[in-house]
Amino acid sequence: MISVFGSANMDLVAYVSEAPKRGETVTGHRFRTVPGGKGANQAIAAARAGAHVAFLGAVGDDGFGAEMRATLVEAAVDVRGLRQVPGPSGIAHIVVDDGGGNSIIVVPGANGTVNGPSGEDLAAIARSEALLLQLELPMAAVVAAAQAAQVSGVPVVLTPAPAQPLPDELLDAVTVIVPNEHEAAAITGVTDPETALGALLERVPEAVITLGSEGALYGARQGRRLRVPAVKVEAVDTTAAGDTFVGALAVARAEGQDMAGALAFASTAAALSVQREGASTSMPTRHEIENALP
């Protein structure tokens, strides 16, 4: 089982020819609401990639919360750890341009009420083969979950997004950190991905830096380094690419694949996701990933 302790947001997605600059108003050509949030996205990605997944988080008592719960259930994610709290659910306002690029504003809502893992959450984490974490919950809660996994000997996979300073007590409990190149630069203070990878490995045992159309870099503190090329596709919407990559990577590692195979599996899943619109709606099934593997 893979546990995901993280956020659930309703994505409010506006599609435009070109994203507006500061002070500018543009006319969009479409709008949709899609259940998302980095935690829920990773849970759905891992479930579709073949894992049994438990999602641990919170939604509000509004319509968005009910819809997000239903979406997770439909993806066969265990939602017994998804608590409901008074007030609004989290939302993400996403602008997607015609080139497939995006910009995102997150309002935490119910996610901000998660102060730490509950007793039931701790029991689920202890039973897991991996714990996936992101930074859309309060930092103290993320640290507590990571430390609980460490005590139980459960590998911790951290997506450090949104980028922010990372306390030592969190990094001390992380097994694999998976930033994109911009997050890696924000964490390490260096823009060259190879150099940033080395800096990350001074703080965690393993690191993967995703590079969009340039693929991904992997390194382990013991010296092994890999570069995996991206699967070349025409991107429609990159919103969920990173979360799809992480969910699929966690599944492959939990199944015992070597790192080269796990990265190829994750890269293929991400490539499939960017060819579809939306976040949770874009994530491929295990069958689709295996059929598309190079």
Side-chain angles (χ1 to χ4, degrees):
M1 179 180 78
I2 292 173
S3 290
V4 182
F5 183 73
S7 57
N9 294 321
M10 183 60 73
D11 292 344
L12 311 177
V13 190
Y15 295 89
V16 298
S17 297
E18 186 174 344
K21 302 176 181 64
R22 183 174 182 178
E24 181 183 17
T25 299
V26 300
T27 300
H29 46 74
R30 196 152 55 90
F31 174 80
R32 64 195 301 225
T33 59
V34 184
K38 297 196 73 63
N41 286 346
Q42 291 183 6
I44 292 170
R48 290 188 177 160
H52 174 61
V53 180
F55 181 68
L56 315 171
V59 293
D61 57 3
D62 54 5
F64 286 164
E67 186 175 348
M68 286 186 284
R69 183 183 297 274
T71 298
L72 288 160
V73 169
E74 184 178 357
V77 175
D78 183 340
V79 295
R80 286 176 291 180
L82 179 58
R83 63 199 81 171
Q84 178 179 295
V85 299
S89 298
I91 65 98
H93 179 268
I94 303 172
V95 176
V96 180
D97 63 37
D98 284 350
N102 66 76
S103 58
I104 305 172
I105 300 171
V106 174
V107 181
N111 299 303
T113 70
V114 181
N115 296 317
S118 66
E120 292 81 4
D121 294 342
L122 294 174
I125 291 169
R127 296 193 302 270
S128 301
E129 295 169 276
L131 172 66
L132 306 190
L133 297 171
Q134 321 78 37
L135 301 179
E136 290 182 344
L137 296 183
M139 182 62 77
V142 176
V143 171
Q147 291 175 330
Q150 182 183 39
V151 168
S152 297
V154 175
V156 175
V157 181
L158 173 66
T159 303
Q164 56 189 280
L166 302 178
D168 289 339
E169 57 264 36
L170 174 59
L171 291 173
D172 288 346
V174 169
T175 309
V176 187
I177 190 168
V178 191
N180 63 28
E181 57 189 311
H182 307 293
E183 292 152 2
I187 294 165
T188 64
V190 293
T191 57
D192 175 64
E194 293 277 2
T195 306
L197 184 67
L200 289 171
L201 292 174
E202 295 177 2
R203 306 183 73 185
V204 296
E206 297 178 78
V208 179
I209 300 178
T210 59
L211 304 171
S213 62
E214 298 302 313
L217 285 173
Y218 166 77
R221 190 176 285 164
Q222 301 307 314
R224 189 182 186 202
R225 302 247 178 143
L226 294 170
R227 178 182 282 269
V228 177
V231 180
K232 299 302 181 184
V233 297
E234 189 70 32
V236 173
D237 183 352
T238 61
T239 302
D243 295 329
T244 302
F245 182 96
V246 170
L249 180 69
V251 172
R253 282 173 61 98
E255 293 176 350
Q257 291 192 43
D258 64 22
M259 201 61 198
L263 289 167
F265 185 82
S267 295
T268 301
L272 290 169
S273 76
V274 302
Q275 297 175 72
R276 307 166 181 170
E277 294 179 347
S280 60
T281 53
S282 72
M283 294 168 176
T285 64
R286 176 65 173 253
H287 179 71
E288 289 173 322
I289 299 169
E290 289 179 338
N291 280 351
L293 279 170

